[in-house]
Amino acid sequence: MEGASAREQSLAGAGSANPSTAISISENPAGLVDIGRQFTGDVSIFMPWRGYDASGTMLTAPGGVDSYRNAFVIPALGYSQPLTADSAFGFAMVGNGGMNTTFSGGIANPACGMYGLPTQGVFCGGRAGVDLNQALIYGGYAQRFGNVSFGIAPVMSVQIFSAYGLGAFSAFGLSSNPMYVTDHSPAYSVGGGLRAGMLYHVAPDLSLSVQGSTPIWSTKFQNYSGLFAGGGSFDIPATIGGGVSYKIMPTLAMMVDYKHIFYSLSPAIGNAMSPIYPGTMGAPNGPGFGWRDVDIIAVGFEWNYSDRLTLRTGYSYSTQPVTAQNVMFNILAPGVVTSHIGAGFGYAVNQNSSVDFSLLYSPRVHVSGQEYLPGFGYNPYSNISIWLEELEVTLGYTYRWDRPPVVVAKY
C-alpha cells in the first residue's frame, strides 16, 4: 500500500516526516506527539486489472487471460490521544495489502487432457486464483525530547488466504503435503511484530524521519501447508525507511520518502520458483514467488491553498520485485506495477472536522518470461507476459477535539 490514509495516498506514500492524521502511526509512530487528539476513518475502493498473455506453453493455458473481480473495499481507522505536552498514545487498524486473482474455470487448456487431468483452467484445476488479505493493528506510544521524538508501536496482524484451481501442482507428487495445496476453505493466520520511528524537527521548516519494522512473525496457513515454503509459513516482510519534509514556502511543503521492503527474507515470497521436483512444494526451502527486495522513492507536495482547502499530489517509483525466471507462479500474484501517481485534497468543514479525498493510479506494467515445467525446466518455446494496472479511490474523515499545538524546536 502506498500509504494507508487518503492524505498519504494523494502524496503517493510520502509524508513520514510530516504527520497529520492518527493513521500515520502505521508508518512512523513518533509523529503521535504532533497531531493532537483526533479520530480518523478512511475507506478505499481498490481496483486492480490483471492478467497474462501466453504462447507456446505446455502446462499453462495459452492466450490472453484476464482476471475478474476488479473492485475491493479497504478500510483504515486511527485514534490519537496526548498524555502530556510531550507524550501521546494511539492506535490504528489498516489494510497492509494483499492480492487477488480469479481466472475463469472455462478457459481452454489443451495440456489438461495430455497430462490426464480432468478439468480445464489456467492450471487444469478449474477456476484458478488466490485471495490474500492482510490487516495490521497498531498500538503505539511516542515521547518528545526537545526537538526529537521517538515512537514505538507493537503490531498484530490478521491474514486470510485461499487458493483454488492449482490442480497441476497437487498432482505428480510435487508437494510435500499434496492434500493441502489448493481448494480448501480460507485459512487464517495471526502474527506480531514491532514498528518504531524517530522524528527530528531540525528547524521550523525542516523535519527528518527514520522508521522501520521487524518482520511480522505469523502462524502458518495450515490448509495450504503443501503450497507455501515452510509448511504454510507466510511472515509479513520487514521494512526500513526515512523521510524529509521541507517548507518551500509558508504554504507549500515538499516531502521525500525512501523505503526498503525485505521480501527476500520471507521464504514463501522470496524463494525462487524453480526448481520444482517431487516433494519440494511446502518444504522448508521449497519454491516461492521469487520476489526480490524493493526500493521505493516517493515525492509529494502539499499546498495550503486557503484556510479550508489543501491540495496534494505525489509520485513514487519502486524497483521491480518479479523477475523473468519467476513469471509463471506470479500469474497468481502479478504485483509488477512500479509507478504510483497520486492527487487529492483536504477540506476543513469547520475547526474540528475535515474530509480528505485521493486518487492513486498505477500505469500498466508487463513482465515476461518462459514457462517452467516441473521436473523438466524452462520451456524455451514459450512466453508468458503478466501485467497489472491499478486505481485506488479513497475518502477520509478526521475529527479533531483540539487543534494540535505548534511544535517549536527546543534547542
Side-chain angles (χ1 to χ4, degrees), residues 117-157:
L117 297 171
T119 54
Q120 296 292 300
V122 174
F123 293 119
C124 300
R127 185 174 70 103
V130 299
D131 198 355
L132 171 67
N133 295 278
Q134 295 178 338
L136 302 183
I137 302 169
Y138 296 88
Y141 172 81
Q143 179 71 49
R144 182 162 46 222
F145 302 91
N147 58 335
V148 180
S149 58
F150 298 91
I152 189 168
V155 54
M156 184 181 78
S157 69

Side-chain angles (χ1 to χ4, degrees), residues 256-321:
V256 180
D257 273 64
Y258 166 79
K259 181 187 290 186
H260 183 89
I261 305 177
F262 295 91
Y263 287 125
S264 63
L265 300 184
S266 180
I269 304 171
N271 283 7
M273 178 186 72
S274 64
I276 304 175
Y277 295 117
T280 56
M281 294 189 66
N285 295 309
F289 288 95
W291 281 31
R292 299 177 296 188
D293 291 357
V294 299
D295 295 291
I296 305 164
I297 188 76
V299 180
F301 294 88
E302 185 171 65
W303 178 28
N304 293 323
Y305 178 80
S306 69
D307 291 342
R308 288 182 176 268
L309 181 63
T310 301
L311 303 177
R312 306 180 182 111
T313 189
Y315 172 79
S316 70
Y317 178 81
S318 70
T319 55
Q320 178 59 253

